[in-house]
Amino acid sequence: MKLHEFQAKELFSRYGIPTQRGIVIARPEDIDGLDVPYPVVVKAQVLVGGRGKAGGIKLAKTPAEAKQHAQAILGMSIKGEVVRRLLIAEAAEIQAEYYLAFTLDRQARQMVAIASASGGIDIEEVARTTPERIVKRHVDAFIGFQPFQSRELATGIGLRENHLTAFAGIAANLYRLAVQEEAELVEINPLAVADGKLLAVDAKVILDDSAAFRHPDRPPTEEETELERAARQADLSYVELDGDLAIIGNGAGLVMSTLDVVAQFGGRPANFLDVGGGATTENMAAAMEIALRKPGVRALYINIFGGITRCDDIARAIAVRPLRVPIAVRLTGTNEAEGRRLLEAAGIHAFLDAEEAAREAVRLAGEVVS
Ligand code: GDP
Ligand code: MN
């Protein structure tokens, strides 16, 4: 599980790694009356790197300026992730940027410390272009990360003598964090020299999910919507979108292609549910209930290609429901004849062709068919 920067920085503080003070907000208005000294840095909280390059990190000298940046960054999409929260932190006056991380070297079956003189740049890029600027030291799990290794890393990246003690402290704490929290990666990029002191300006932590049971206090993965939770409890995979046509299919590939075809006909999916292989009548009924609970849904498209899933089981769920919206059904495969008979008896026409059905679904949702 990847942590957001603000969550990773909370961990850093707990482990005595110096970071800037900051507050998380979700609306530009929240800037008013914030108790942070200016200038501040406005930072998009999304789980992807390269936020700075994408325009998701901006410095602001005044609250008015911070508000402008907040307006621009909130709602922005960075590598496909929509920004819903911002970290407003005291801006650091950066004199130099370094890189420091601990990660699991699976081949060596050891943690490895990685440091670089080129901070603020993607470490993969440094490895490609200037590998000589990267220093690595493996950590013996039984004796832990040693102070002499800190010194070797620090001198290897050309850190000034007066920062050595602080660097050793940060590295030791970062290693302790990685071990105690059971992380796969802990990364500070950049580890900056600001106001003459070392400071973690960015924080990245990836926790080992297989160890989650030992850490009941870990933050919740991602906030779930009510419908996402209902779907998870019913063992269905559900994704919420913002259109008005609900979509149910069986199998991830089929559902993905269904979304494409619907989009091609000008439809806007409201959500999609994958009932998976071998869905029963009950699974299907639960899926329909969840898909239609979303406000603003104007039609439902059910695309089933029966394999292990039996068309008659699916049809039973569709046929018994009085639905609040019109539906288009594509049904083919195992027990198709029986499935179609059940639907016809309930006055529902089932398409054989997925494209025709998609076109009909889009029409029902009141969209343009092109
Ligand atoms: P990333 O782009 O997602 O890795 O986000 P970072 O938090 O690492 O920020 C990217 C870059 O923005 C950093 O390498 C810095 O150069 C710059 N930056 C971030 N925070 C500050 C700050 O407080 N002060 C200054 N001067 N620059 C900052
Ligand atoms: Mn960074």
Side-chain angles (χ1 to χ4, degrees):
M1 170 173 74
K2 232 184 210 175
L3 296 186
H4 280 289
E5 176 192 3
F6 74 91
Q7 297 168 321
K9 282 185 166 170
E10 276 167 22
L11 272 183
F12 278 19
S13 301
R14 255 200 272 150
Y15 282 84
I17 299 163
T19 65
Q20 298 128 290
R21 281 202 305 137
I23 297 167
V24 178
I25 62 160
R27 301 170 312 167
E29 310 85 272
D30 298 338
I31 302 264
D32 300 325
L34 265 196
D35 180 27
V36 272
Y38 280 79
V40 294
V41 58
V42 179
K43 310 185 81 174
Q45 296 300 288
V46 283
L47 298 172
V48 290
R51 295 166 301 162
K53 257 193 209 154
I57 308 238
K58 296 277 183 212
L59 292 165
K61 289 199 191 70
T62 62
E65 205 186 329
K67 225 164 159 172
Q68 271 177 9
H69 290 318
Q71 257 146 10
I73 299 173
L74 281 167
M76 172 192 271
S77 162
I78 300 181
K79 296 180 187 168
E81 274 213 49
V82 178
V83 182
R84 307 221 177 271
R85 278 174 304 186
L86 300 172
L87 174 65
I88 311 292
E90 204 177 324
E93 240 189 82
I94 299 181
Q95 280 110 40
E97 296 188 317
Y98 298 92
Y99 174 98
L100 176 65
F102 285 90
T103 188
L104 196 59
D105 180 343
R106 291 181 193 274
Q107 226 148 27
R109 300 181 173 195
Q110 282 184 316
M111 291 290 273
V112 60
I114 304 169
S116 158
S118 306
I121 305 168
D122 213 30
I123 193 72
E124 284 83 15
E125 195 182 320
V126 183
R128 213 171 33 244
T129 54
T130 49
E132 69 280 0
R133 291 175 76 86
I134 297 179
V135 190
K136 290 185 187 179
R137 287 292 179 273
H138 280 93
V139 186
D140 183 310
F142 292 104
I143 60 172
F145 185 67
Q146 297 293 302
F148 79 88
Q149 295 183 303
S150 268
R151 278 193 300 279
E152 288 176 355
L153 290 178
T155 31
I157 61 174
L159 203 67
R160 294 244 309 272
E161 194 76 25
N162 57 332
H163 295 307
L164 277 188
T165 313
F167 181 83
I170 291 172
N173 285 332
L174 193 61
Y175 178 70
R176 198 163 52 86
L177 187 162
V179 172
Q180 288 183 9
E181 301 297 328
E182 302 194 73
E184 292 171 359
L185 171 75
V186 287
E187 183 189 78
I188 311 179
N189 188 23
L191 173 62
V193 176
D195 274 332
K197 293 198 190 78
L198 286 177
L199 181 73
V201 164
D202 193 5
K204 181 171 174 184
V205 171
I206 301 178
L207 300 172
D208 180 355
D209 289 333
S210 359
F213 71 99
R214 280 195 289 265
H215 304 274
D217 54 329
R218 277 188 184 178
T221 332
E222 271 303 288
E223 296 90 288
E224 280 179 326
T225 66
E226 210 178 297
L227 292 178
E228 281 164 349
R229 183 164 45 250
R232 184 171 50 77
Q233 283 162 355
D235 268 329
L236 300 162
S237 62
Y238 175 79
V239 174
E240 200 141 310
L241 300 163
D242 48 18
D244 50 19
L245 175 59
I247 293 175
I248 299 175
N250 64 322
L254 178 76
V255 173
M256 290 300 144
S257 66
T258 305
L259 290 173
D260 285 349
V261 174
V262 161
Q264 197 191 320
F265 290 135
R268 293 185 310 121
N271 50 24
F272 64 88
L273 261 149
D274 175 8
V275 292
T280 60
T281 304
E282 290 71 38
N283 296 147
M284 188 62 196
M288 291 170 69
E289 193 263 323
I290 292 167
L292 294 184
R293 231 200 285 165
K294 182 166 184 218
V297 166
R298 287 160 60 179
L300 169 64
Y301 176 22
I302 298 173
N303 185 2
I304 299 292
F305 191 96
I308 327 169
T309 307
R310 294 165 34 163
C311 290
D312 54 330
D313 286 343
I314 296 295
R316 268 180 207 103
I318 303 172
V320 294
R321 313 236 116 196
L323 294 176
R324 73 167 175 88
V325 298
I327 60 171
V329 183
R330 183 262 186 142
L331 195 62
T332 184
T334 310
N335 290 6
E336 178 184 309
E338 177 63 3
R340 302 175 71 79
R341 197 190 58 77
L342 286 165
L343 288 185
E344 299 292 345
I348 300 165
H349 170 70
F351 291 88
L352 278 174
D353 182 86
E355 263 188 51
E356 271 177 50
R359 194 186 285 271
E360 172 65 4
V362 172
R363 191 189 64 78
L364 290 171
E367 303 289 342
V368 206
V369 177
S370 53

